[in-house]
Amino acid sequence: MRQLAPQALAAVVRRYERFDTAEDAVQEALIAAAMGWPKDGIPESPRAWLITVASRRLTDLLRSEQARQRREDAVAQRMLPEEWLAPAADRPGSESDDTLILLFMCCHPSLSPASQIALTLRAVGGLTTAEVARAFLVPEATMTRRISRAKQGIKDSGIPFAMPAGPERAERLRSVLHVLYLIFNEGYVSTSGPTLQRGELAAEAIRLARMVHRLLPDDGEVSGLLALMLLTDARGPARARRDGELIPMAEQDRSLWNADSIAEGVALITDALPRGPTGPYQLQAAIAAIHDEAPSAEATDWPQIVGLYELLMRISDNPVVDLNHAVAVGMAQGPQAGLDLLDELQADERIAEDHRLHAVRAHLLEMAGDRAAARDSYLAAARRATNLSQQRHLHSRAARLPNDG
């Protein structure tokens, strides 16, 4: 049902152009399916069944809203006479999938990133409002208001339910990919809370990325994002100890990495790179592939990773990219070379107080043999980290180093 729900919602929104009411109707159709299918059996075309039942329910809702009678008339005028009555439940439905259009609508640039993420998970991901709220550690009432504002924003903007064309489509696709990237990152490394990762969010991001890739198989950045997610998520089984503490990549048991995900991710990025143009997700996926294909941390091809980060820095004004570049330089050319780059990066207020900068400094200082300064930097990173698993890891690293005070 989670796979069918966004397809049914997209079809009903296309027909009636009423996002908020259409979602209520689809939810009631899903409830009817959950109650009826176990007893009566799954219909031959479950998707058509959901669309039909939701359409009938939406018609009922429209008719019951006397104050919105003019809207119902406008909908009727747009429909062919044969569509004035809902078709029979056993009538074959259209096989077109409007899910991508729905995803574009949820990621409209008029919405804030937080609203885009919440609405995408709710309408396309099929998560309940309570599940979305739990994922982002906010009260359900807060998430309900956020999603309601997003729906109202779509309604007020008059966004047509149609695939944008030309430059607008490219811009909207970037928003879609960015939202999926943010969802995956929040699932893979939680920004706050007691656990290192939220597997359900990472898995949902991968599922949605697969859907976009299925619909746009020739887009290099779509392939790159899916490859990046798979190659990164493949390390998940080896990332934490039994008590939940983070295990750095260099110390992970690589035999626990998901070989199937690595193979799929490598195949995707290998196919995408030669077709060009090369975008940031493809470059990040190529870096992840080098890490995943190395038989050990010592065998990692750091010079090649440095080169890829330098290409990425040319097209991405992102201090995290600069930070990762400093790590790669430190590994390839020695810790002092990486520390010199960190000194330059310290002036960037976007990352100066981020725990990751202090953690990288600590790691490079430890490599350079300055154990006391490394300890201070680990503790500085721990004070700034908001994830409890990362805090424990940073305190553990600091505890292994001498305290000159």
Side-chain angles (χ1 to χ4, degrees), residues 15-18 21 55-79 83-85:
R15 178 179 294 180
Y16 294 97
E17 298 184 359
R18 295 288 302 276
T21 314
S55 296
R56 288 173 173 167
R57 180 55 183 150
L58 183 57
T59 300
D60 292 340
L61 290 172
L62 290 173
R63 288 172 178 166
S64 67
E65 296 173 1
Q66 296 299 324
R68 300 182 182 181
Q69 185 63 46
R70 288 177 296 180
R71 291 182 181 271
E72 183 177 350
D73 294 340
V75 170
Q77 290 173 6
R78 286 196 296 269
M79 296 170 60
E83 295 179 314
W84 289 349
L85 295 177

Side-chain angles (χ1 to χ4, degrees), residues 10 13-15 17 98 100-106 108 158-165 168-169 172:
V13 172
R14 171 183 285 280
R15 178 179 294 180
E17 298 184 359
D98 294 326
L100 186 60
I101 302 177
L102 181 64
L103 187 52
F104 273 42
M105 177 178 283
C106 292
H108 192 273
I159 303 168
F161 189 82
M163 182 68 75
E168 184 184 359
R169 172 172 171 169
R172 294 272 288 278

Side-chain angles (χ1 to χ4, degrees), residues 365-384:
L365 286 168
E366 187 176 2
M367 287 178 59
D370 192 345
R371 293 163 60 85
R375 180 182 186 278
D376 291 342
S377 290
Y378 277 128
L379 292 175
R383 287 194 298 271
R384 291 165 172 80

Side-chain angles (χ1 to χ4, degrees), residues 2-14 18-20 22-23 26 97-108 111 116 119-126 151 154 159-164 172 176 208 211-212 215:
R2 179 163 287 178
Q3 294 177 349
L4 292 173
Q7 298 179 31
L9 176 58
V12 177
V13 172
R14 171 183 285 280
R18 295 288 302 276
F19 187 95
D20 50 349
E23 189 186 30
V26 170
D97 189 345
D98 294 326
T99 306
L100 186 60
I101 302 177
L102 181 64
L103 187 52
F104 273 42
M105 177 178 283
C106 292
C107 298
H108 192 273
L111 303 178
Q116 290 175 343
L119 195 58
T120 297
L121 290 173
R122 179 71 179 86
V124 187
K151 292 179 184 177
I154 288 178
I159 303 168
F161 189 82
M163 182 68 75
R172 294 272 288 278
V176 167
L208 294 175
M211 177 195 72
V212 177
L215 297 171

Side-chain angles (χ1 to χ4, degrees), residues 272-354:
L273 281 174
R275 291 189 272 119
T278 303
Y281 295 120
Q282 294 171 71
L283 290 173
Q284 290 179 74
I287 293 168
I290 294 173
H291 281 299
D292 285 13
E293 291 189 301
S296 65
E298 295 73 22
T300 302
D301 189 347
W302 286 108
Q304 186 177 0
I305 291 176
V306 170
L308 288 170
Y309 271 122
E310 289 174 350
L311 289 174
L312 185 56
M313 289 166 66
R314 295 179 188 175
I315 61 176
S316 176
D317 178 24
N318 187 327
V320 176
V321 173
D322 297 340
L323 180 63
N324 290 333
H325 173 251
V327 174
V329 168
M331 299 302 293
Q333 303 173 19
Q336 189 56 51
L339 288 167
D340 291 342
L341 291 175
L342 288 187
D343 289 339
E344 299 175 13
L345 192 56
Q346 185 72 48
D348 191 332
E349 62 181 14
R350 294 175 297 173
I351 200 169
E353 291 302 311
D354 192 296

Side-chain angles (χ1 to χ4, degrees), residues 233-240 247 252-259 262:
D233 190 65
R235 307 173 202 142
R239 290 183 65 227
I247 301 176
Q252 291 176 12
D253 180 355
R254 298 187 175 215
S255 67
L256 298 178
W257 290 1
N258 189 319
I262 292 173

